[in-house]
Amino acid sequence: MSASSRILADSARYFPGGVNSPVRAFRAVGGTPVVAREGHGSTVTDADGRRYVDYVGSWGALILGHTHADVVSAVSSAAARGTSFGMPTASEADLARLIIQSVPSVERIRLVNSGTEAAMSALRLARAYTGRSKIIKFAGCYHGHADLLLAQAGSGLVTLGLPASAGVPPSAIADTLVLPYNDLSSVTTAFAEHPGAIAAVIVEPVAANMGVVRPRPGFLSGLRDLTADDGALLVFDEVITGFRLGRGGAQSRYGVRPDLTCLGKIIGGGLPIGAYGGRAAIMDLLAPNGPVYQAGTLSGNPVAVSAGIATLQRLADGRLYAALEQTAAALADGLADTAASAGVRARVVREASMLTVFFAGREPADFTEAQQADTFAFARFFHAMLRRGVLLPPSQFEAWFVSTAHSAADVEHTVTVAAAAFREAQAA
Ligand code: PLP
């Protein structure tokens, strides 16, 4: 029995489905999960010593790749000073400063432990600020697993084909309106039908949980105008796009300023973190200043914060984003050419350093279109790549993440092996 099989057998005994987060179980592609032993730069080595070029990147958190020297050193020295205090520390303010200097709409911020907490708390705050209850979200956008947001969410819920989740009472999503992504007219209609009742519109400014789906020109600025006109708040969930699409995230790239922003992933450098922030007038409603309660034993954890600081400091070197863009473009172009040569119906959709290869004839604009992709072809492609040493996110509806550690040689290897993998994907 291989080391991986042994670990998976143990895990199956201890954890529901053998995992601690559903997509890791490979249900969308079949087969058995890769058991990670260690990661360095662009690669992950499994428990049996097989090495893969990794495009999961801890689901987008590891923009500098695995075990970046700055991050490892920051984490070990922070841990040596104390792993948790439950008191204010200097490093929390250092991380906040780095974020506030980079993300245009954030004047004040609250650190939490996950993206889920960030989105859930931002919406509680939006409801309190506006005195309204209804929330608009978009089908295929994932904002974590808080009850009120588990309505037509993307990510693992697409993978598992669950329309929502069991255990979420209808009352929890009674005020959640789910509309098609990229469809401004349905947002206009919703505001007309519910005047003065909508607290917030929450959106992934570039969607990455139904595969990468880009906003149409005018979609984000249209949301800004509609929310402002009605007195609702615009919440950008930049848990993935924050510090991924550039230091200022999607809001800088698209020049649209939301009222509240959710962050996570990259700002923790691979350790558990989340954050939400925005205009001071809104954020100051949070306890202890105001009546909106939200708290956390490990919030602002010094070890997580140190990894985030090391990551953001490294990203201050603007050349890194230019290099990332170049690497990701070479990868996307190479994959598109290879698919075309193999005669495969595939569209490579890329935004900065995240991309999805949709096994579909055209670029999707929303969840319905994304779901038309051939998930069986993707599963065959996934396994053909895995056998050749390339680890992709194990679902058609997730983004691949390129890190600053991916080299031209990694890209070349990926594109080369993709030729055979596309042929295998098609041969069914
Ligand atoms: N928001 C977005 C856009 C995400 O992609 C995710 C997770 O993938 C979340 C929120 C939830 O974050 P977490 O998994 O840290 O709770």
Side-chain angles (χ1 to χ4, degrees), residues 114-117 142-145 155 204 209 237 239-240 265 273:
S114 67
T116 295
E117 269 188 73
Y142 179 65
H143 306 291
H145 60 86
S155 195
E204 285 186 76
N209 283 292
D237 182 346
V239 167
I240 284 182
K265 302 201 188 242
I273 206 165

Side-chain angles (χ1 to χ4, degrees), residues 121-132 135 199-200 233 235 260:
S121 311
L123 292 179
R124 180 182 302 145
L125 183 56
R127 283 171 160 172
Y129 181 78
T130 57
R132 302 170 175 187
I135 302 291
L233 299 188
V235 182
L260 292 171

Side-chain angles (χ1 to χ4, degrees), residues 334-336 338-340 342 344 346 348 357 359 381 384-385 415 417-427:
L335 290 166
T338 308
V344 172
V348 182
V357 178
F359 284 80
F381 179 71
M385 295 296 278
V415 171
V417 303
F422 276 125
R423 281 194 298 274
E424 281 187 36
Q426 204 174 27

Side-chain angles (χ1 to χ4, degrees), residues 53-80:
V53 178
D54 174 31
Y55 291 104
V56 178
S58 187
W59 303 95
L62 298 181
I63 196 167
L64 302 179
H66 293 273
T67 49
H68 188 282
D70 292 0
V71 176
V72 172
S73 139
V75 163
S76 37
S77 58

